[in-house]
Amino acid sequence: MNGLMMDFPLTLVHLFERVGRYFPRTELVTRRPDKSIHRSSYGEFHQRVQKLANALQRLGVKPGDRVATLGWNTVRHLEAYFAVPLTGAVLHTLNPRLSPQDLTYIVNHADDQVLLVDDVLVPVWERFAHEVHPRHVIVWGHGGPQPAGTIDYEQLIAPELPSFAFPRIDENQALGMCYTSGTTGRPKGVVYSHRAVVLHSMASAMPDSLGMGASDVMMPVVPMFHVNAWGLPFTAVMTGTKQVFPGPHLDPASLLGLIASEKVTFTAGVPTIWMGILDALDKNPGAFDTSTVKAMVVGGAAAPQSMIEAFEKRHKLTVLHAWGMTETTPLGTVSRLKPALQAAPEADRFRCRATQGLAVPFVEIRAVNDSGAVVPWDGKSMGELHIRGPWIASSYFQNPIEADKFTMDGWFRTGDIVTVDGEGYMRITDRAKDLIKSGGEWISSVELENALMGHPSVKEAAVVGVPHPRWTERPVACVVLREGSKATPSELREYLEPLFAKFQVPDAYVFMAAIPRTAAGKFLKTALREQLKDFKFET
Ligand code: AMP
């Protein structure tokens, strides 16, 4: 017997209409490139999105067409987040930090028909403009000159009506797409459906997931070109939450300034951002008011336990560690202490919060070893993380080569190596390709990095396996010291020795000014391995 419920599609239309109706006075704040503050509201947003949707239709955008954006986190980008999918077209966010070659490949592969670009990013666009062929280029102007052949955004939408006749959208229709910032091979496109984004927003907003409501003030520091800023702008529209967009200014002082002036309660970004913020707070105690912040979500790379502890103990700030991927929309797991663990000794509580946590509702995980067996949840057995759920990709956009990531029995193979403990807390040990194999034993680079970043003189550390004549590979630590701090290789070694088995401790420590990063701000280990490939170990 079937249930007797209405067939009501899970699409952005509902989120958009709801925020316009119930939260028109809630603010949307953007820091412009010249650092001035722009204020608008969901009421204004509700009208401007419909004007943009009408303008896109007038330009000939059809359902299914891809409309690309090249922009920082701003309210205008949020307008595109809604206007494009509401016409039935597909929002394709481009990462301006990618090389012109990658951007060319991605825009051509996605067959982008229209491009919206921040005027401050026009120089990025010009580096690959001659290789790609969108029909229209629209510029979000901030007072700079208007490049020839482009359309000014404000002039485009000014004559349009602020009401739009929404086409009927199926919940499985594509809403957006994003290419993964892989370190090998060609970038791969992930296509998100309306249904996936709506369900992902509901799961993210739940109090035991990321937790967001109408009385929050949310500042996404994670870029809107990186997995839709982890879906947070969509979640915030669903919940009627005030949003604060930092624009191109991601330095600690600018972010801390916005946290204080806008009374931010919820913010999210990659560990590098929070390391910078921690440094700024440590150096200027009391200079920034962060008392309104309830959660700082850290994901995209492992949040070192030392960082979580430092924020909490020195600044009363709560780090919420989460894990996800472009292919998972991205929220997969969040580390919050279960009630039963809240009375555990402090060291155990921090250890638990530094894991990647429990899968959120409707996401299922398992870890599978080399022989294809699902490993027990004992906190020790390692396996590749497999994941499934309603917002997990089932294939890449027009890319049959990578089809083997998707197993026949409906799981996505993440390439992350994990353990899961008896309570269900998942811990990432490494990316499969970053695990170090020394004398037949596996060594986790992530655990060494997290430990090294707990040393008071170490600002950043990345550990890679380097070919070794006797042991196949040995770990080498690449270390960036804090300004004005000193540490010798033997001091770092002594620091690690009590924490690791002898064979796991790196043999060499290479000091550098900065660790090379991917376009998403993660350590670029391929570059480090290349740099160190002729490294000679002392005998
Ligand atoms: P991306 O698709 O660029 O967001 O990259 C996803 C990958 O980032 C995952 O497969 C993990 O290897 C890594 N990652 C994301 N979140 C975390 C986390 N909290 N801890 C460790 N690694 C993470």
Side-chain angles (χ1 to χ4, degrees), residues 462-519:
V463 177
V464 289
V466 171
H468 188 280
R470 175 152 178 223
W471 301 108
T472 321
E473 272 187 336
R474 287 295 300 151
V476 171
C478 305
V479 176
V480 180
L481 293 177
R482 281 183 196 285
E483 243 174 279
S485 296
K486 286 199 205 104
T488 61
S490 48
E491 274 166 35
L492 294 178
R493 199 183 160 81
E494 278 163 29
Y495 177 77
L496 292 177
E497 268 164 1
L499 307 172
F500 291 90
K502 199 158 175 274
F503 79 94
Q504 294 173 322
V505 176
D507 289 346
Y509 299 79
V510 179
F511 294 96
M512 33 183 84
I515 292 176
R517 292 183 184 281
T518 67

Side-chain angles (χ1 to χ4, degrees), residues 367-376 381-384 386:
V368 175
N369 67 17
D370 283 347
S371 28
V374 174
V375 306
S381 308
M382 286 199 273
E384 184 185 6
H386 291 190

Side-chain angles (χ1 to χ4, degrees), residues 181 226 299-302 321-326 356 416 428 431 522:
S181 50
H226 190 192
H321 193 195
W323 171 94
M325 307 178 74
T326 306
Q356 280 70 14
D416 282 341
I428 303 259
R431 283 301 284 168
K522 302 181 193 192

Side-chain angles (χ1 to χ4, degrees), residues 207-276:
D208 288 336
S209 301
L210 302 183
M212 202 192 298
S215 47
D216 277 309
V217 177
M218 194 279 289
M219 178 170 78
V221 179
V222 51
M224 289 172 88
F225 53 75
H226 190 192
V227 213
N228 302 323
W230 299 343
L232 296 169
F234 292 120
T235 309
V237 167
M238 184 189 76
T239 49
T241 303
K242 170 175 168 179
Q243 304 199 48
V244 180
F245 298 101
H249 302 290
L250 303 182
D251 59 290
S254 300
L255 296 173
L256 285 163
L258 279 179
I259 288 177
S261 62
E262 301 305 323
K263 303 196 172 8
V264 168
T265 65
F266 180 106
T267 173
V270 292
T272 329
I273 293 283
W274 304 117
M275 297 295 230

